Amino acid sequence: MARKSSKYDPYDHLPQEDEAPAAPVLCWLCGRPTGKTIVWHHPVPKSRGGRDVVPMHSICQQTLIANFTNSELQRHGMEVAGLLDNPNVRKFVDWVANKDPDFTATIAKKQR
């Protein structure tokens, strides 16, 4: 049976590092810190050759899916500014700005 601890620590000469809190991950669309649940979203859909993923709130991802087709998302690529030019998305981002990071709500169906 192995000893649980030794009175001689071979690493006691090294400086002790304090546990620094992890930096919050920001949502790609709204810029708010993400909560407990992070959705990894493909800005360019996988069906259109997208490989990169970005962190998002699930409600933000649902808003993108409800307002854009895969072709439109492919055209915008990694540019958030183009997506925010859409009045529905801009209105949503302004509305959700002061909500809790784990806030969820139902999103209207696709409006195309």
Side-chain angles (χ1 to χ4, degrees):
M1 190 157 125
R3 281 190 266 171
K4 293 189 181 200
S5 64
S6 171
K7 64 180 179 177
Y8 301 107
D9 183 7
Y11 302 107
D12 64 350
H13 66 284
L14 298 176
Q16 298 293 325
E17 294 183 26
D18 293 333
E19 287 281 326
V25 178
L26 299 180
C27 178
W28 179 72
L29 182 65
C30 70
R32 296 179 304 132
T34 54
K36 295 176 185 169
T37 304
I38 299 174
V39 175
W40 293 96
H41 174 73
H42 289 85
V44 176
K46 287 172 54 176
S47 64
R48 304 293 178 145
R51 297 190 185 278
D52 297 331
V53 292
V54 293
M56 291 182 76
H57 297 104
S58 62
I59 192 170
C60 294
Q61 182 188 33
Q62 292 169 9
T63 300
L64 284 185
I65 292 169
N67 287 287
F68 296 101
T69 63
N70 282 351
S71 299
E72 291 169 332
L73 288 173
Q74 180 184 12
R75 274 182 263 150
H76 289 292
M78 296 293 289
E79 296 296 321
V80 176
L83 298 172
L84 293 175
D85 288 341
N86 181 306
N88 292 336
V89 175
R90 170 51 65 191
K91 183 178 176 182
F92 166 79
V93 169
D94 292 342
W95 172 73
V96 82
N98 296 322
K99 305 286 188 221
D100 184 65
D102 290 316
F103 174 77
T104 59
T106 46
I107 300 296
K109 298 287 182 187
K110 294 184 179 188
Q111 300 171 359
R112 289 185 240 137

